[in-house]
Amino acid sequence: MGLNENIRNNIRQVEPYIPGEQPQNKVIKLNTNENPYAPAPGVEQALQSMDLDRLRLYPDPTAELLTQSLADRYKVDKDQVFVGVGSDDVLSMCFLTFFNSDKPILFPDITYSFYKVWADLYRIPYECQKLDADFHICKEDYYKENGGVIFPNPNAPTAIYENLDFVEDIIRHNQDVIVIVDEAYIDFAGKSALELISKYDNLIVVQTFSKSRSMAGMRIGYAISNPTLIKYLNDVKYSFNSYTMNQTSLVCGAEAVKDETYFKETVNKIVETREWAKEQFKELGFEYPESQANFIFVTHPKLDAKQLFTALKKANIYVRYWGSERIEQYLRVTIGTKEEMETFFSFLRQYIAEHGGR
Amino acid sequence: MGLNENIRNNIRQVEPYIPGEQPQNKVIKLNTNENPYAPAPGVEQALQSMDLDRLRLYPDPTAELLTQSLADRYKVDKDQVFVGVGSDDVLSMCFLTFFNSDKPILFPDITYSFYKVWADLYRIPYECQKLDADFHICKEDYYKENGGVIFPNPNAPTAIYENLDFVEDIIRHNQDVIVIVDEAYIDFAGKSALELISKYDNLIVVQTFSKSRSMAGMRIGYAISNPTLIKYLNDVKYSFNSYTMNQTSLVCGAEAVKDETYFKETVNKIVETREWAKEQFKELGFEYPESQANFIFVTHPKLDAKQLFTALKKANIYVRYWGSERIEQYLRVTIGTKEEMETFFSFLRQYIAEHGGR
């Protein structure tokens, strides 16, 4: 349609993020870091016993049911918890609320691709800091003047986890700005930065229900920080949309948090499968940074990543491939069930037998 | 907590919108324009037969199940439909996407209070146009140069509906900018501006599941326009959060749209109760602009609105009161069930008997 020029000039132009494919047919889906196990059984029960009449009313704008259950689980006060429609919503609200300086915010060059997108969307200046040759964050790069810092730990798509001393060094060197530690994958890794919340006023930790809690389909994320920063976040959220969390998310989210046994059991299964998968990859000649997430970032000295990606897709096995600078030869493989991974490795063995080298 | 000055200087300061109260105890709730009837029966069934395993996966980012059902219902193509987390999310995305001019956007002085909040949040210049003495929009006020136009029809909290010729005049005089008609209450009123979509490239119509479809708790809103404008909206949405609609919203929303019989039945019941309520108000000496929504905006020449509001609240009957300029003496009363309204009017009769005048 030939759009009026004035209208077109006043439209916000963005480079939209392209999410991993969500195939509708039966495939082995190792491309978007979802959990291969269903949510906790209590979630199903919660859905089935939902009071339908409650749906005609607006949900509780403070989402207390959910913030309280997270507060109990993480031993903080409920006014230290902010919830949103997935951690994307939470992170985006953080960008909008806290990154209003003229100085650039800092984040790694290879990292979650949404950071750049939100910075562009909100016109926040930013400067990417190069990971080293082994894909590690160089903490000293974050010691210069800046408008804020954000990085995931473990980082994505590298899967590398940095220990808490490393994380604390970055926070301590940046007490003049907000530091966001994006812990989407922390439950598959090591210590969370949550224990630093009481020590540093400038720290926000963001986590999600989409990975370790098997609920990507429910869209629940949260930030934990001190009550002052959480209040600022809520002020912006209320000015944006007072009722972001629908009634089913509140009820199912609270239910999921309660079942610690199921949570540990499924996380452990994924970690076990990951460790086994690492051995399999190694045997087949793949290389990867040490993974502590629910995915492995692999490359093979003799196989072209793009060709392998395409061959896998043809065989109905989806993994993630970007083809962007420095990671053209890498694939990100989500840890599925043991059975899915066995099928995946059978394919790889066959593929390598047929396509020995690049 | 004594927040670091630099951090504080870089925090976005907003005047948060204060939503109507969501009381937890048993009250007659006539304060947030919810539907007194439960969602369509199919919605309950959809929730109960949800595939729990589906929740571990990200929802379809294109929300096709829902956009297709809306497209079928409104006889447009699915690429003419944009869905969001309530119409607040949809409207806010429209502001962010389309209102990027240096010229002020225009909306009524008495209207949905979020317009001002989004404009402030996104730093969009705006200019409010005064409703006339009878609370009608003066369409000529919208014929001057501007950066965009938005108004609700019916308007809130006045409940006044303007006919389609009136709406078309505003659209026709503004073909250089985007005009958003916010039709949250249209199903209780008259003709929708949807039929003008094919005639004007600059028109976006926004509707919601929160009122006529009894699903405020599910957070579903939508915009219908031409495919070009919908694509721009989707680009911004994807850059913000690719997966905003959770799986339950997609399934329940699609189910609700299918049940036209239930929809008409409940809408008709509310309209009947509204017409009866108007008579009751009149008999008690209340005055109100002609309502074509699911609420009535009332004033009484001899009763102080704030005092009445407080007395109602004490009696566990919640209505909405703002106390802001020009509407200090008005209350907005949502249409509940006939039984709820009878209790409400019994209270009013008693109150008037005791407090004859201001």
Side-chain angles (χ1 to χ4, degrees):
Chain A
M1 184 179 295
L3 206 62
N4 173 298
E5 198 188 328
N6 186 60
I7 292 182
R8 204 171 42 233
N9 288 343
N10 291 317
I11 290 176
R12 188 170 296 250
Q13 306 285 347
V14 292
E15 193 77 58
Y17 172 83
I18 297 155
E21 290 167 276
Q22 295 294 349
Q24 303 297 312
N25 48 335
K26 195 74 192 161
V27 300
I28 294 184
K29 200 169 170 312
L30 309 175
N31 68 333
T32 52
N33 294 347
E34 287 140 337
N35 196 309
Y37 305 108
V43 173
E44 184 161 30
Q45 236 173 325
L47 270 183
Q48 291 187 345
S49 58
M50 277 281 297
D51 175 10
L52 194 70
D53 190 60
R54 182 62 188 77
L55 294 186
R56 68 178 182 81
L57 301 174
Y58 283 96
D60 168 20
T62 70
E64 189 177 333
L65 186 67
L66 186 54
T67 54
Q68 186 63 62
S69 75
L70 286 164
D72 293 344
R73 166 67 171 77
Y74 292 104
K75 300 190 173 44
V76 295
D77 289 332
K78 72 168 194 281
D79 63 357
Q80 293 184 258
V81 184
F82 173 85
V83 292
V85 181
S87 59
D88 284 346
D89 181 35
V90 174
L91 289 166
S92 148
M93 286 292 151
C94 287
F95 272 57
L96 189 59
T97 307
F98 299 112
F99 293 161
N100 292 292
S101 166
D102 292 334
K103 293 171 198 149
I105 61 166
L106 309 180
F107 50 80
D109 64 337
I110 297 170
T111 195
Y112 188 38
S113 34
F114 254 123
Y115 299 162
K116 212 176 271 192
V117 177
W118 292 319
D120 283 335
L121 180 68
Y122 298 131
R123 294 160 187 170
I124 300 165
Y126 63 92
E127 211 180 76
C128 295
Q129 306 304 305
K130 247 183 143 163
L131 297 184
D132 72 14
D134 298 326
F135 291 150
H136 278 269
I137 291 174
C138 308
K139 62 183 178 184
E140 294 77 13
D141 292 347
Y142 297 81
Y143 294 175
K144 58 186 152 193
E145 239 196 344
N146 63 66
V149 171
I150 180 164
F151 61 96
N153 194 36
N155 193 9
T158 63
I160 295 173
Y161 168 76
E162 303 292 354
N163 68 37
L164 209 52
D165 286 340
F166 180 103
V167 172
E168 183 166 2
D169 279 342
I170 295 183
I171 300 165
R172 197 180 40 240
H173 279 86
N174 284 286
Q175 296 188 57
D176 235 23
V177 297
I178 298 295
V179 177
I180 302 172
V181 185
D182 178 358
E183 295 192 334
Y185 302 102
I186 194 70
D187 295 321
F188 307 106
K191 269 193 171 180
S192 160
L194 278 174
E195 63 181 73
L196 301 176
I197 291 291
S198 53
K199 197 167 167 189
Y200 295 96
D201 290 355
N202 61 325
L203 171 63
I204 300 174
V205 175
V206 175
Q207 300 190 354
T208 176
F209 279 59
S210 299
K211 313 298 179 185
S212 55
R213 297 204 181 271
S214 306
M215 283 169 75
M218 286 305 290
R219 317 305 304 121
I220 308 175
Y222 53 101
I224 298 184
S225 182
N226 58 68
T228 311
L229 296 188
I230 293 301
K231 181 170 183 317
Y232 281 116
L233 261 180
N234 268 317
D235 285 352
V236 169
K237 168 246 176 83
Y238 286 131
S239 74
F240 188 87
N241 185 351
S242 307
Y243 308 101
T244 54
M245 306 301 290
N246 76 17
Q247 185 64 16
T248 59
S249 320
L250 297 180
V251 171
C252 295
E255 207 53 53
V257 177
K258 281 184 202 154
D259 198 337
E260 196 63 18
T261 313
Y262 184 83
F263 171 72
K264 283 192 177 142
E265 200 179 288
T266 47
V267 166
N268 286 343
K269 274 203 277 188
I270 291 166
V271 170
E272 270 170 38
T273 310
R274 177 188 73 202
E275 295 306 312
W276 168 82
K278 285 181 187 171
E279 292 309 310
Q280 300 292 305
F281 275 126
K282 205 173 288 173
E283 277 174 28
L284 292 172
F286 283 89
E287 294 161 7
Y288 46 83
E290 187 51 33
S291 163
Q292 297 205 53
N294 69 337
F295 56 90
I296 307 179
F297 196 50
V298 297
T299 188
H300 195 289
K302 293 185 179 162
L303 299 174
D304 181 74
K306 193 176 181 184
Q307 282 171 21
L308 175 54
F309 167 76
T310 310
L312 280 162
K313 200 167 163 182
K314 261 190 204 147
N316 279 329
I317 301 174
Y318 283 58
V319 300
R320 195 80 195 268
Y321 171 70
W322 283 273
S324 47
E325 217 190 317
R326 295 183 72 193
I327 58 172
E328 305 89 344
Q329 288 303 334
Y330 279 81
L331 297 177
R332 191 192 67 186
V333 182
T334 304
I335 304 301
T337 60
K338 186 79 181 282
E339 296 65 38
E340 288 173 322
M341 299 310 282
E342 271 162 355
T343 309
F344 169 72
F345 284 114
S346 297
F347 176 89
L348 286 186
R349 273 187 290 272
Q350 181 75 27
Y351 184 85
I352 288 170
E354 288 167 15
H355 304 72
R358 272 189 204 159
Chain B
M1 186 179 296
L3 205 62
N4 174 298
E5 198 187 327
N6 186 59
I7 292 182
R8 203 170 42 234
N9 288 343
N10 291 318
I11 289 175
R12 189 169 296 250
Q13 306 285 349
V14 294
E15 193 77 59
Y17 172 83
I18 297 156
E21 291 166 273
Q22 295 294 350
Q24 301 298 314
N25 49 335
K26 195 73 194 162
V27 301
I28 294 184
K29 199 168 172 313
L30 309 176
N31 68 332
T32 52
N33 294 346
E34 287 141 336
N35 196 308
Y37 304 108
V43 173
E44 184 161 30
Q45 236 172 324
L47 270 184
Q48 292 186 344
S49 59
M50 277 281 295
D51 175 9
L52 193 70
D53 190 58
R54 182 62 188 79
L55 294 186
R56 69 179 181 81
L57 301 174
Y58 283 96
D60 169 19
T62 70
E64 189 177 332
L65 185 68
L66 186 54
T67 53
Q68 187 62 62
S69 76
L70 286 163
D72 293 345
R73 166 68 171 76
Y74 292 105
K75 300 191 172 45
V76 295
D77 290 331
K78 74 167 193 281
D79 62 358
Q80 293 184 259
V81 184
F82 173 86
V83 292
V85 181
S87 61
D88 285 345
D89 182 35
V90 175
L91 288 166
S92 148
M93 286 291 151
C94 288
F95 272 58
L96 189 59
T97 307
F98 299 113
F99 292 161
N100 292 290
S101 166
D102 292 334
K103 293 171 198 151
I105 62 167
L106 308 180
F107 50 81
D109 63 337
I110 297 171
T111 194
Y112 188 38
S113 33
F114 253 122
Y115 299 161
K116 211 176 273 192
V117 177
W118 291 318
D120 284 334
L121 181 68
Y122 298 131
R123 295 160 187 169
I124 300 165
Y126 62 91
E127 209 181 76
C128 295
Q129 307 304 305
K130 245 184 144 159
L131 297 184
D132 73 13
D134 299 325
F135 291 148
H136 277 269
I137 291 174
C138 308
K139 61 183 178 184
E140 293 78 11
D141 291 345
Y142 297 81
Y143 294 174
K144 59 185 149 192
E145 239 196 343
N146 62 65
V149 171
I150 179 164
F151 61 94
N153 194 37
N155 194 9
T158 65
I160 294 174
Y161 169 75
E162 304 291 354
N163 68 36
L164 210 52
D165 286 341
F166 180 102
V167 171
E168 183 166 2
D169 279 342
I170 294 182
I171 301 165
R172 196 179 43 240
H173 279 86
N174 283 286
Q175 296 187 59
D176 236 22
V177 296
I178 298 294
V179 177
I180 302 172
V181 186
D182 178 0
E183 294 191 335
Y185 302 102
I186 194 70
D187 295 321
F188 307 107
K191 269 192 172 181
S192 161
L194 278 174
E195 63 182 71
L196 302 175
I197 291 291
S198 53
K199 197 168 168 190
Y200 295 96
D201 291 354
N202 61 325
L203 171 62
I204 300 174
V205 176
V206 175
Q207 299 189 355
T208 177
F209 280 58
S210 299
K211 314 297 179 188
S212 55
R213 296 204 183 269
S214 307
M215 283 170 76
M218 285 306 290
R219 316 305 303 123
I220 309 174
Y222 53 102
I224 298 184
S225 183
N226 57 68
T228 310
L229 296 188
I230 294 299
K231 176 161 188 326
Y232 281 117
L233 260 182
N234 268 317
D235 285 351
V236 169
K237 168 245 177 87
Y238 285 130
S239 74
F240 188 89
N241 185 351
S242 307
Y243 308 101
T244 54
M245 307 299 290
N246 75 19
Q247 186 63 15
T248 58
S249 319
L250 297 180
V251 171
C252 295
E255 207 53 52
V257 176
K258 282 184 203 156
D259 198 337
E260 196 64 18
T261 313
Y262 184 83
F263 171 72
K264 283 192 177 142
E265 200 178 288
T266 47
V267 166
N268 286 343
K269 273 203 279 190
I270 292 165
V271 169
E272 270 171 36
T273 310
R274 176 187 75 201
E275 295 306 312
W276 169 82
K278 285 180 186 171
E279 292 308 311
Q280 300 291 306
F281 275 126
K282 205 174 286 173
E283 277 175 27
L284 292 171
F286 283 88
E287 293 162 7
Y288 48 83
E290 187 52 32
S291 163
Q292 297 204 55
N294 69 337
F295 58 89
I296 307 179
F297 196 50
V298 298
T299 188
H300 194 289
K302 292 187 179 160
L303 300 174
D304 181 73
K306 192 174 182 185
Q307 282 170 20
L308 176 54
F309 167 75
T310 311
L312 280 162
K313 199 167 163 183
K314 261 191 204 144
N316 280 328
I317 300 174
Y318 282 58
V319 300
R320 194 83 196 266
Y321 171 69
W322 284 272
S324 48
E325 217 191 317
R326 293 184 72 191
I327 58 172
E328 304 90 343
Q329 288 304 332
Y330 279 81
L331 297 177
R332 190 193 68 185
V333 181
T334 305
I335 303 300
T337 61
K338 186 80 182 280
E339 296 66 37
E340 288 172 323
M341 299 310 282
E342 271 163 355
T343 309
F344 169 71
F345 284 114
S346 298
F347 176 90
L348 286 186
R349 274 188 290 273
Q350 182 75 25
Y351 183 87
I352 289 170
E354 287 166 15
H355 306 70
R358 276 189 203 163

